[in-house]
Amino acid sequence: MEPDKQKLLLMYRNMLRIRRFEEKLAEESAQGNIPGLLHLYVGEEAVAVGACSALRKEDYITSTHRGHGHCIAKGGDLRKMMAELFAKETGYCKGRGGSMHIAAPEIGIVGCSAIAGAGIPIAAGVGLSIQMRKTDQVCLSFFGDGASNTGAFHEGMNMAALWQLPVIYVLENNRYAISVPAARSTKLANIADRATAYGMASTVIDGMDVLSVYDAVSKAVERAR
């Protein structure tokens, strides 16, 4: 599925916005201007942008401790995001959430979480809400390779599959769970194979290729709706 020229330009623009936003955060954090920890999204821009470009505004996402890119790709306001990171009242969560807990329900950002895998069962809950309300929305849940080894992953995936919920799970495998390499924590070479255990369709794509991400997620969204 190829995006039109206007959407393609917007996708490239959003990838650049994420990169510049993260570079500025790194600079401010190094100077001690931002309270708390930061987990930057540099290098993973194509996943967030490709995936969120396949969604509508009314669709939902759940995010991770590395969620700035997801929020920007879903339409987050850069000023509100930066204000949140600087612990200002004008931030999305009035400065109380910080880097790892941004939420913006008005644009479908259910929330980020500092807990690995926490968004996976939450996405199933959102999917159940969609199913009960009989809308054609979907929920897309981002998570990392480390989160695939948590109980929340298996419980959330099992419920979503069993109840046939409109949820798409996007595993961003950057090969490290903070400091633990995937080779030391996961026996499978291809973590996506775990979807088979729940009767879910899965595909593996190059997360550095925004068009491949957009195409794969667009097809998944079509099935989910």
Side-chain angles (χ1 to χ4, degrees), residues 41 44 62-68 70-71 99-102 111-117 119 141-144 147 170 172:
Y41 198 69
E44 300 181 39
T62 63
S63 184
T64 68
H65 65 288
R66 201 180 299 279
H68 311 150
H70 305 146
C71 294
S99 170
M100 292 179 274
H101 301 97
I102 294 175
C112 305
S113 177
I115 302 172
S141 181
F142 293 100
F143 64 100
V170 177
E172 297 182 275

Side-chain angles (χ1 to χ4, degrees), residues 25 27 30 38 45 73 81 87 102 107 121 131 139 145 166 185 190:
L25 286 183
E27 178 184 320
L38 288 179
E45 297 89 351
M81 288 182 61
I102 294 175
I107 55 173
Q131 189 180 77
C139 182
D145 46 288
S185 65
N190 179 13

